[in-house]
Amino acid sequence: MPSSVRRLTMAAITNSLSLKHTLSIGSPQTNLLTRTRPSSTSLSFRTFHRCYASYANENREYVIVGGGNAAGYAARTFVEHGVADGRLCIVTKEGVAPYERPALTKAYLFPPDKKPARLPGFHTCVGSGGERQTPEWYKEKGIEMLYEDPVENIDTEKQTLTTSSGKLLKYGSLIIATGCTASRFPDKIGGNLPGVHYVRDVADADALVSSLEKTKKVVVVGGGYIGMEIAAAAVAWKLDTTIIFPEDHLLQRLFTPSLARRYEELYQKNGVKILKGASIKSLEASSNGNGGVASVKLGDGSIVEADTVIIGIGAKPAVGPFERVGLNTDVGGIQVDGLFRTSIPGIFAVGDVAAFPLKIYSRISRVEHVDHARRSAQHCVKALLSAQTNTYDYLPYFYSRVFEYEGSPRKVWWQFFGDNVGETVEIGNFDPKIATFWIESGKLKGVLVESGSPEEFQLLPELARRQPPIDKAKLQNATSVEEALDIARESLQAAV
C-alpha cells in the first residue's frame, strides 16, 4: 500500500515551508499561513490585465497544469464556485479533455464484442456520479483548454509558464496536477521495442488495443494493480497470457500471502500463467526483420515467447519543470501542506504528484489513486476560492475491478480502506467472498472485502477511520464474512 514514508508533524510541515516570497497581484494568498478570501486580497481580473499590459494576451487568473482526473475535478469545483468563466485555463499534454484514467486498464482494453469503454463515455466526472465533462462542457463554462502543449518551464518570480509550443502564460494562481509517468525499462534491454507498451493515457491504450487485435502471446511485467488489470483484460481476448514479477506474490504491497494465493488461483483458472520471483534480463527483438519484441529473457536464462509485452512496474511523479517549487525526497513529488500549498505562495499541487500530510496516520505520503486525485483537487480549489481552512484529512482507499467483461464466469471487485499494518485475520474462502482485517495494538486499522454488498462496502471507511478496539479471537471464530463484519460493526457501537 503506501510506500515508505517519513513521519512528520503538521507543525514541522508548516515550518518547513518558506515564507520569503511575497504575493504578486492576482494571487489569492498573502502567505502560507494567513488565508483570506481571494476577493479581499487581489485586484479584479480586469485590473490584473491592465497592470500587466506587456502580457495583455497571456494573462490567466487561474491555471491548472495537467489533464487527468485531478484537473477535471478541479475544473468542476471552479465552476461550482462561479469563477471559471473566462478566468480558468487548463494546459495539458493530452489531446483530449480530462477523463477517468482507471478505465484505461479495465474496460478500455476489452475486445470489441465485450462492449469496451470509449470516450466520451468516461470523461470526468462520471466516475463519481457527476456530470460528463466533454470538450463542449469546457467551452460552455468558459474554460480555456490548451491541448497537446505541455509546460516546459516556469518562472516563479515573474509567475509565467512557457509551453512546448513557445506560448507564454502569466498566472495568478497555479495548480500543478501533472500526475505520474510510467516507469520504463531502459532502451538497452529492449524497453522501447515495437510491441512493448506502457499505459498512462488514451494514446497508450489505443496503441495497446491495436496490438491485442493481432497478437497471440502476451507477457505482462508487474504483479501490481496495473499488471493484474491488464492481464485480466487480455483473458477476454482469449490470448496466451503470462504475468511475470519479482515479488513472492501478487500485489505484495497490500495483499497477504494467503489472500494473494486466492487471486493467483483465480487467474490461473482463467488460463493466465504466473511467474513470480522472476527477474528480467532483457526483452529480445524478433529476427524476422520487423524488429518487434519476440520474447522476454529472464534472469535465469529462460525464455518466454511474446509478441506483445506490457510493462506495469509502477510510476514516478511527473514533476517536470516544477522541481524548483520544492520536492519531498523521501516519498517523491512536490511537498505541500494540508491545503495543498507549496513553498511558493500562489502555487499548489494536487493528486499523484503531491506529497501531503496524511493526517490520520501523522506522516507524509504520496497517494497514486483516483479517489485521492478527485478529493485533493476539490479540497485545494475550495481552500483557494473560499475561507476554508480545514486541513485535508484523507483516508487511504484502494480498489480494483477485473474480469468484468461480458461472458466472464466471475466478476471481481474488492475495496480496501485504512492501513495494512499489524496482524491479519482472514475470513471466508473467496467463494463467494473474502475479507481481511488488519489489527495493531488491539485496534482495527484496515479492512479489505472482496465481492461485498453495497452496505458492506459502505461500512469499511467508518471502520478504518474510527479504528475501534476489536476482539481478535472473536473475529477469528467468525464463520462467514457477514458475521465478521457484524462483529466489527458491534465494535464500533461499543466504542461510542
Side-chain angles (χ1 to χ4, degrees), residues 1 223-225 228 249-264 267 400 412 414-416 420 424 426 430 436 438 448 450:
M1 217 237 342
Y225 296 97
M228 291 177 67
H249 59 75
L250 285 173
L251 199 54
Q252 187 159 312
R253 65 174 177 164
L254 177 60
F255 287 175
T256 64
S258 175
L259 183 60
R261 178 173 54 81
R262 312 277 189 162
Y263 284 94
E264 289 168 5
Y267 275 74
S400 188
V412 174
W414 59 261
Q415 292 189 27
F416 167 84
N420 59 332
T424 59
E426 184 178 290
F430 203 67
T436 302
W438 281 263
L448 179 148
E450 160 65 48

